[in-house]
Amino acid sequence: MEPAFGEVNQLGGVFVNGRPLPNAIRLRIVELAQLGIRPCDISRQLRVSHGCVSKILARYNETGSILPGAIGGSKPRVTTPTVVKHIRTYKQRDPGIFAWEIRDRLLADGVCDKYNVPSVSSISRILRNKIGNLAQQSHYDSYKQHQPAPQPALPYNHIYSYPSPITAAAAKVPTPPGVPAIPGSVAMPRTWPSSHSVTDILGIRSITDQAPNGLPAVSSFVSASSMAPYPAPAQVSPYMTYSAAPSGYVAGHGWQHTGGTPLSPHNCDIPASLAFKGMQAAREGSHSVTASAL
DNA sequence: CCCGTAACGGTTGAT
DNA sequence: TCATCAACCGTTACG
């Protein structure tokens, strides 16, 4: 369930334990960093732990995406019962068959595609552990046959509404084993660790859906867009503080198609820049940089 | 002081 | 329907 209010960290920021920060804040972190603001200052301004700022920035640098990784779920198994069944069949038909031959056959027969075909070593293990002493667990297989050759299409459904196309394009999967990351290609088939399906990325769904009538109030908008994880009660969202800012731009997808860098500086002039309550930071008078940046 | 990262307690979601 | 489990989360604290 989701806590309407999160906990408060040492910096006075609100967070929900176990859940990702709202996209609006993640975005803000990246933007500020691109403006040249130091991570420690970003941390203080947004009241997000420096560890988190560091992590988000590192991820952004590496993948080009500000989105959190896919949470939950199980890694899709390549050795599905169906696959095992086929392997057993091959083995029974040709006891001398090599694992790599089985692998080729799985591909040739369309049982698997190049993204989910088991490795030769996995096949060997299957032969050893499951087929070797196969008594008859066939019924086990039969249940769940419907598993269509697992399409890596959308394993996850994060509803992160992150409208920005760039993210989509730029988002490379962390280390998709075997998936050639085609930068810029929307079609990138995702495999496990990745996280966002194209639709999710592009999917503005949650935004549009939730704002049927046009211009949503800022607050609702933000909560909708920043989202899912924080179905924040509309107005009391712990993150309200930041609401003004990003909303417009997140929604406006204004950022990025500039083609060049994903986050062009101009974005920063985001209105409001608002409301950063944090602004008081300025009062500390310490660094004007930060203040000015806002 | 800054920053990377491990430990920690937590949530999520496919199986 | 419920439990399990492995993935991720952000904060904290340490180096």
Side-chain angles (χ1 to χ4, degrees):
Chain A
M1 314 246 161
E2 0 205 306
F5 285 95
E7 300 163 55
V8 176
N9 63 26
Q10 296 176 328
L11 297 172
V14 177
F15 70 99
V16 178
N17 197 358
R19 305 298 302 138
L21 284 172
N23 287 340
I25 294 179
R26 311 176 79 86
L27 180 56
R28 203 86 190 114
I29 289 171
V30 172
E31 289 176 349
L32 293 177
Q34 297 208 334
L35 283 179
I37 298 178
R38 293 138 81 219
C40 59
D41 290 324
I42 294 171
S43 171
R44 285 189 280 259
Q45 286 181 31
L46 300 182
R47 299 176 192 259
V48 169
S49 65
H50 90 265
C52 183
V53 170
S54 174
K55 191 171 169 181
I56 288 173
L57 254 21
R59 189 203 294 275
Y60 177 75
N61 287 332
E62 191 182 331
T63 70
S65 172
I66 64 165
L67 300 178
I71 300 173
S74 305
K75 200 180 205 169
R77 295 171 42 206
V78 290
T79 57
T80 60
T82 300
V83 171
V84 173
K85 184 175 145 189
H86 278 80
I87 291 173
R88 176 172 35 222
T89 300
Y90 300 149
K91 186 66 174 178
Q92 288 176 333
R93 284 215 273 249
D94 177 5
I97 193 169
F98 289 116
W100 62 267
E101 291 177 301
I102 290 175
R103 188 169 189 274
D104 287 348
R105 287 212 55 176
L106 288 170
L107 288 170
D109 294 353
V111 176
C112 300
D113 60 34
K114 64 178 177 178
Y115 296 115
N116 63 24
V117 66
S119 63
V120 171
S121 59
S122 291
I123 292 171
S124 296
R125 181 161 24 80
I126 291 167
L127 291 172
R128 212 177 335 116
N129 303 338
K130 303 193 174 184
I131 312 282
N133 49 342
L134 71 136
Q136 40 218 112
Q137 38 170 181
S138 7
H139 54 284
Y140 166 65
D141 293 350
S142 34
Y143 123 97
K144 283 189 170 178
Q145 286 290 23
H146 54 310
Q147 234 230 5
Q151 264 289 25
L154 346 149
Y156 282 97
N157 343 334
H158 272 197
I159 337 190
Y160 285 118
S161 39
Y162 222 70
S164 134
I166 47 156
T167 315
K172 331 181 250 196
V173 175
T175 36
V179 175
I182 302 159
S185 162
V186 185
M188 171 161 75
R190 321 176 10 188
T191 49
W192 178 241
S194 125
S195 18
H196 319 283
S197 63
V198 175
T199 52
D200 287 342
I201 295 174
L202 302 178
I204 329 215
R205 189 172 39 121
S206 53
I207 293 178
T208 54
D209 287 355
Q210 304 191 23
N213 22 348
L215 317 170
V218 183
S219 58
S220 59
F221 188 154
V222 170
S223 52
S225 65
S226 44
M227 73 157 331
Y230 298 91
Q235 329 217 353
V236 230
S237 162
Y239 297 105
M240 283 311 276
T241 318
Y242 312 104
S243 43
S247 61
Y249 101 66
V250 166
H253 31 47
W255 64 312
Q256 149 166 79
H257 19 239
T258 50
T261 49
L263 299 172
S264 51
H266 73 288
N267 293 327
C268 299
D269 30 54
I270 311 184
S273 320
L274 31 87
F276 245 52
K277 290 180 125 172
M279 279 296 248
Q280 330 149 285
R283 78 193 137 102
E284 313 210 42
S286 28
H287 302 63
S288 47
V289 186
T290 47
S292 62
L294 302 176

